[in-house]
Amino acid sequence: ERPGPCKEGYVYIPVAFVIMLYLVYLVECWHSHTRLELRYKCDITTVYNTIYKMQSALPVIWWKATCYHYVRRTRHVMRYRNGDAFTSTQVYYERVDSKTAGAAFNYTQCGVKDISRPLSELEKFPAIKIKVSKGFSFANLDTEFEFEEQRAQFFQEYETKDDYMEGREGMDLINVDFKEYMIAFRDPNNLPWYVSHVVFWIASLVLLSWPLRAVIEYKTAHLHYHIHKLFGSNYLEGENYPNLMSRVNTMNSEDLEMSIRNNNVIVPSYSEAMLAD
């Protein structure tokens, strides 16, 4: 008995399903962290130079305030009921930014100093993955108070400019291209075979991408390096830095907590914005 065309088509369904899974697997290989992190590879000398520039760079502690309000608007939407189309009016609220301003911490009087730990002995590892972070701390209470006073003065100046205010703050390094991830190799002219893009895609095509990723992870050392800036160095004597207060500790400040309690310009939810009209 000769099979019908429908019965012959059933044979291609699992084949198409396997091909689809294979394509999904290749897409996952393309977006894998292992392949993307290989773009940050460099030699150890470049790592030392980059870290030195970050250590020597002056920090900028910036604040940004965005004043805004909500505006009630209407729009016509098409709805369907029982197969019939009709137009209705929908009320919604749109955020409108009215003013944006920025400022930075003036540490001319208190001074700043880099107290990051020295970086050395990277040559011992054939491959090392480096994650770089940055932060700052205060040397004493006077510096902390000076920081919070400038910060509070800036945000209090703009919190009454409109109905609501959104505040942001962060730290940057002047004239430095901050790199959060770097992968350094001991001999850049003779890279290990497992970090080659050609080897990665050959292994991916033959379904060996995940074992190769395990080899790369096992053969690569990991280092977390922290760029640390100390504010208040002009108030200290010698090279001792007792009782350092990080930015996290300043969250426990009574003045800052009181300012938060007295802040009546908290961002409303969408339902609260609708009721405020």
Side-chain angles (χ1 to χ4, degrees):
E1 182 181 358
R2 184 178 180 180
C6 294
K7 184 175 294 186
E8 291 181 352
Y10 292 150
V11 179
Y12 299 101
I13 294 178
V15 176
F17 184 72
V18 172
I19 294 176
M20 183 181 64
L21 289 179
Y22 184 73
L23 293 177
V24 172
Y25 162 76
L26 292 180
V27 172
E28 192 277 335
C29 293
W30 174 264
H31 293 283
S32 65
H33 292 287
T34 303
R35 189 195 70 85
L36 296 177
E37 289 175 351
L38 292 178
R39 298 181 303 176
Y40 303 102
K41 61 183 179 181
C42 58
D43 57 84
I44 293 180
T45 304
T46 303
V47 174
Y48 282 130
N49 294 335
T50 303
I51 295 298
Y52 176 76
K53 291 179 181 179
M54 294 181 183
Q55 293 174 345
S56 305
L58 293 176
V60 175
I61 310 299
W62 54 267
W63 307 302
K64 182 179 179 181
T66 302
C67 304
Y68 65 96
H69 59 275
Y70 287 98
V71 177
R72 180 177 179 177
R73 302 186 186 277
T74 59
R75 58 187 173 189
H76 298 286
V77 295
M78 185 70 68
R79 300 183 183 275
Y80 295 90
R81 180 181 298 172
N82 298 327
D84 298 329
F86 64 95
T87 303
S88 63
T89 302
Q90 185 182 54
V91 179
Y92 68 99
Y93 287 82
E94 182 180 2
R95 170 175 163 170
V96 178
D97 295 341
S98 58
K99 190 176 184 61
T100 301
F105 175 44
N106 184 4
Y107 51 85
T108 305
Q109 182 177 355
C110 64
V112 65
K113 184 180 180 65
D114 183 88
I115 57 172
S116 306
R117 293 185 177 181
L119 184 64
S120 61
E121 299 183 351
L122 296 182
E123 298 81 2
K124 293 183 177 181
F125 307 95
I128 180 170
K129 183 187 299 183
I130 305 172
K131 179 182 179 181
V132 184
S133 60
K134 53 186 175 180
F136 62 95
S137 60
F138 304 114
N140 48 40
L141 290 175
D142 294 335
T143 308
E144 178 190 3
F145 178 78
E146 186 176 347
F147 173 85
E148 292 185 358
E149 185 180 22
Q150 295 184 26
R151 181 179 182 274
Q153 183 179 1
F154 169 75
F155 285 115
Q156 289 175 3
E157 180 181 355
Y158 290 95
E159 66 182 2
T160 57
K161 299 292 184 180
D162 209 332
D163 295 340
Y164 310 104
M165 183 193 71
E166 178 184 15
R168 296 181 180 180
E169 62 180 351
M171 171 182 168
D172 293 331
L173 301 176
I174 299 178
N175 298 328
V176 171
D177 183 16
F178 183 79
K179 295 182 179 181
E180 186 176 1
Y181 290 99
M182 291 182 290
I183 299 181
F185 297 96
R186 181 169 52 194
D187 187 3
N189 297 324
N190 187 18
L191 297 178
W193 62 269
Y194 49 83
V195 298
S196 172
H197 287 280
V198 177
V199 173
F200 178 83
W201 282 114
I202 292 177
S204 300
L205 292 175
V206 297
L207 304 179
L208 294 177
S209 172
W210 291 340
L212 179 62
R213 299 181 201 181
V215 172
I216 295 176
E217 192 70 18
Y218 177 76
K219 295 286 188 178
T220 304
H222 293 262
L223 172 65
H224 182 195
Y225 188 80
H226 185 67
I227 300 294
H228 195 169
K229 302 296 182 178
L230 175 68
F231 291 98
S233 59
N234 293 345
Y235 301 148
L236 300 177
E237 296 180 359
E239 296 295 330
N240 297 324
Y241 309 112
N243 301 325
L244 296 182
M245 291 167 289
S246 66
R247 182 65 186 95
V248 178
N249 292 334
T250 63
M251 296 300 180
N252 298 325
S253 171
E254 296 181 359
D255 295 336
L256 184 58
E257 291 296 327
M258 186 61 65
S259 176
I260 294 175
R261 295 192 190 101
N262 296 332
N263 185 10
N264 298 321
V265 290
I266 302 177
V267 179
S269 63
Y270 182 77
S271 58
E272 291 174 340
M274 294 183 65
L275 295 176
D277 182 68

